[in-house]
């Protein structure tokens, strides 16, 4: 399945490109997109092409915060049909659960998981594609849009505790500090927003149950018509739950509202297995953490779900024909 997103995810691309003197038409063409697709915000476009466009634009413009600059201009109405349902939710918690439920209508490469520990809440996000290439720009765009959504619903009451990125910090943090206005952690083990449960339960003064029910019935019709793939959905769940130590087949089956045997049958019908998907995600995540010298091999091992560093090392050798220490030493000049 090719992950698709509404062209609305690139709604502000042309404005930012013009500000940075980027030849948007040339770049759109180079990744296989065109201006007509971008102007029709309801049209679905391949996520891989959108990600490629953002990364090339950031590189050519020399702007490390290209995705964040796009997020700065986003409004609640940019969520399209879902914006009505979001506007009428009683709390921010309800709005975020709505995003989780209908995320495939916006961008089926987007994975979101809300974790609560006491009064602390972690909103984890990943942009997962078939190419499985990590994108700094799309990650910052996704987190930036979520931050803007929370601010739109809670206004001055939205005060996140911290914002986390698995990638390294840019050379200049001014844009991030201005946009998020809270503690920033780069080289973190997850991408996401940390806030309090009190924030999530703050009442939305615009809440309207009747209007929300009306909007939801309409969205359920659209949801039933949207393309979905059990394999891709399970991969997204593994991306989110693996660093939390919860990427077990039981937990993921529960997350998707089915029992383990049903999940296994569906994966078998698609000629794959849970262990194959787990291995695929580990292969894609491992270098994100090995690239960060702040993480010891023991920590990387733990994040990827191995009980001991030695078992992680054996797996790494079986996959890449060298030990993780050897890989780090051979790439040390690039990582420093």
């Amino acid at each position: 399945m090719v992950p698709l997103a509404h062209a609305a995810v690139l709604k502000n691309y042309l404005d930012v490109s013009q500000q940075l003197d980027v030849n948007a038409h040339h770049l759109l063409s180079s990744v296989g997109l065109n201006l007509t697709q971008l102007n029709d915000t309801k049209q679905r476009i391949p996520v891989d092409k959108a990600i490629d466009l953002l990364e090339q634009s950031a590189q050519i413009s020399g702007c490390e915060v290209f995705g964040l600059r796009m997020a700065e201009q986003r409004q609640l109405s940019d969520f399209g049909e879902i914006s009505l349902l979001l506007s009428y939710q009683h709390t921010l918690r309800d709005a975020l659960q709505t995003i989780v439920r209908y995320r495939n209508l916006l961008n089926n490469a987007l994975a979101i998981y809300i974790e609560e520990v006491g009064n602390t809440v972690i909103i984890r996000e990943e942009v997962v594609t078939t190419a499985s290439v990590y994108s700094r720009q799309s990650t910052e765009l996704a987190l930036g849009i979520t931050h803007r959504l929370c601010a739109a619903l809670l206004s001055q009451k939205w005060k996140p505790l911290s914002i986390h990125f698995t990638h390294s910090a840019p050379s200049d943090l001014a844009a991030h500090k201005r946009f998020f206005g809270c503690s920033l952690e780069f080289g973190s083990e997850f991408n996401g927003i940390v806030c309090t449960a009190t924030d999530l339960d703050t009442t939305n003064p615009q809440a309207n149950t009747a209007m929300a029910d009306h909007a939801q019935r309409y969205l359920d019709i659209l949801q039933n018509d949207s393309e979905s793939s059990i394999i891709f959905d399970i991969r997204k769940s593994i991306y989110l739950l693996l660093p939390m130590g919860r990427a077990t087949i039981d937990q993921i089956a529960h997350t998707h509202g089915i029992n383990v045997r049903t999940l296994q049958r569906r994966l078998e019908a698609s000629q794959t297995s849970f262990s194959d998907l787990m291995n695929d995600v580990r292969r894609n995540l491992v270098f994100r953490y090995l690239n960060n010298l702040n993480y010891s091999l023991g920590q990387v091992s733990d994040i990827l779900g191995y009980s001991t560093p030695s078992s992680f090392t054996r797996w790494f050798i079986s996959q890449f024909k060298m030990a993780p220490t050897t890989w780090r030493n051979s790439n040390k000049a690039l990582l420093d």
Side-chain angles (χ1 to χ4, degrees):
M1 186 191 93
V2 177
L4 300 172
H6 282 115
V9 299
L10 297 176
K11 184 177 185 298
N12 309 107
Y13 174 76
L14 295 178
D15 290 337
V16 175
S17 298
Q18 186 175 24
Q19 293 165 12
L20 297 172
D21 198 26
V22 170
N23 188 333
H25 298 276
H26 172 73
L27 282 175
L28 282 166
S29 176
S30 71
V31 301
L33 295 173
N34 58 62
L35 194 56
T36 301
Q37 289 174 295
L38 226 58
N39 287 333
D40 182 1
T41 57
K42 291 186 178 181
Q43 184 168 339
R44 306 281 273 184
I45 60 174
V47 173
D48 286 333
K49 291 184 178 181
I51 288 175
D52 194 13
L53 178 67
L54 293 181
E55 292 297 331
Q56 285 196 44
S57 299
Q59 183 177 6
I60 290 173
S61 66
C63 178
E64 292 181 280
V65 294
F66 195 97
L68 199 61
R69 288 187 63 160
M70 288 176 59
E72 279 188 294
Q73 302 179 31
R74 301 308 287 267
Q75 306 295 326
L76 182 58
S77 58
D78 294 328
F79 280 83
E81 294 93 341
I82 297 178
S83 64
L84 278 178
L85 183 54
L86 294 173
S87 299
Y88 295 128
Q89 295 302 302
H90 281 275
T91 64
L92 179 57
R93 182 190 301 277
D94 296 331
L96 289 173
Q97 291 294 353
T98 297
I99 291 290
V100 171
R101 178 174 179 177
Y102 296 105
R103 63 193 180 278
N104 284 345
L105 292 179
L106 294 167
N107 179 350
N108 60 13
L110 182 64
I112 305 178
Y113 186 85
I114 301 172
E115 176 190 8
E116 294 192 52
V117 181
N119 192 44
T120 302
V121 176
I122 302 176
I123 306 166
R124 296 173 181 259
E125 292 190 44
E126 285 285 343
V127 178
V128 183
T129 71
T130 51
S132 300
V133 176
Y134 182 75
S135 167
R136 177 193 196 102
Q137 302 306 322
S138 62
T139 296
E140 296 200 352
L141 175 59
L143 284 176
I145 289 174
T146 301
H147 176 73
R148 291 280 290 179
L149 163 69
C150 296
L153 292 176
L154 297 187
S155 188
Q156 300 301 317
K157 296 179 181 179
W158 171 240
K159 303 290 183 183
L161 300 175
S162 56
I163 310 294
H164 294 248
F165 307 94
T166 59
H167 52 258
S168 59
S171 56
D172 185 353
L173 284 172
H176 287 79
K177 290 179 178 179
R178 180 185 68 252
F179 183 83
F180 293 109
C182 64
S183 174
L184 302 166
E185 292 196 27
F186 292 88
S188 178
E189 70 174 49
F190 69 96
N191 293 304
I193 301 172
V194 178
C195 64
T196 66
T198 303
D199 285 336
L200 259 62
D201 293 323
T202 301
T203 302
N204 173 17
Q206 305 300 320
N208 186 310
T209 301
M211 292 299 293
D213 289 344
H214 179 72
Q216 185 168 324
R217 284 192 293 272
Y218 173 62
L219 289 177
D220 284 341
I221 295 173
L222 296 181
Q223 180 89 313
N224 291 334
D225 292 337
S226 68
E227 182 183 12
S228 185
S229 161
I230 184 66
I231 295 177
F232 193 60
D233 286 344
I234 297 305
R235 284 183 73 246
K236 289 192 292 184
S237 294
I238 295 174
Y239 264 92
L240 288 172
L241 298 180
L242 189 57
M244 300 167 58
R246 297 183 186 174
T248 65
I249 190 169
D250 298 87
Q251 177 65 49
I252 288 179
H254 175 74
T255 299
H256 289 267
I258 56 179
N259 61 47
V260 171
R261 186 60 196 133
T262 299
L263 174 57
Q264 290 173 327
R265 283 199 300 269
R266 291 184 181 179
L267 293 178
E268 287 169 4
S270 299
Q271 298 182 320
T272 189
S273 67
F274 185 78
S275 60
D276 287 341
L277 295 181
M278 176 74 82
N279 194 63
D280 178 52
V281 172
R282 280 173 168 155
R283 284 178 59 91
N284 290 322
L285 281 179
V286 65
F287 295 110
R288 188 189 302 186
Y289 296 106
L290 284 180
N291 275 321
N292 187 339
L293 294 177
N294 292 323
Y295 286 107
S296 67
L297 291 183
Q299 289 173 303
V300 176
S301 168
D302 186 56
I303 290 171
L304 294 183
Y306 288 96
S307 56
T308 63
S310 59
S311 57
F312 164 63
T313 297
R314 286 194 296 273
W315 170 82
F316 193 92
I317 292 173
S318 72
Q319 299 295 310
F320 305 105
K321 310 306 178 187
M322 69 175 73
T325 50
T326 303
W327 186 91
R328 261 192 171 169
N329 289 335
S330 63
N331 290 274
K332 187 171 178 55
L334 297 175
L335 301 180
D336 287 337

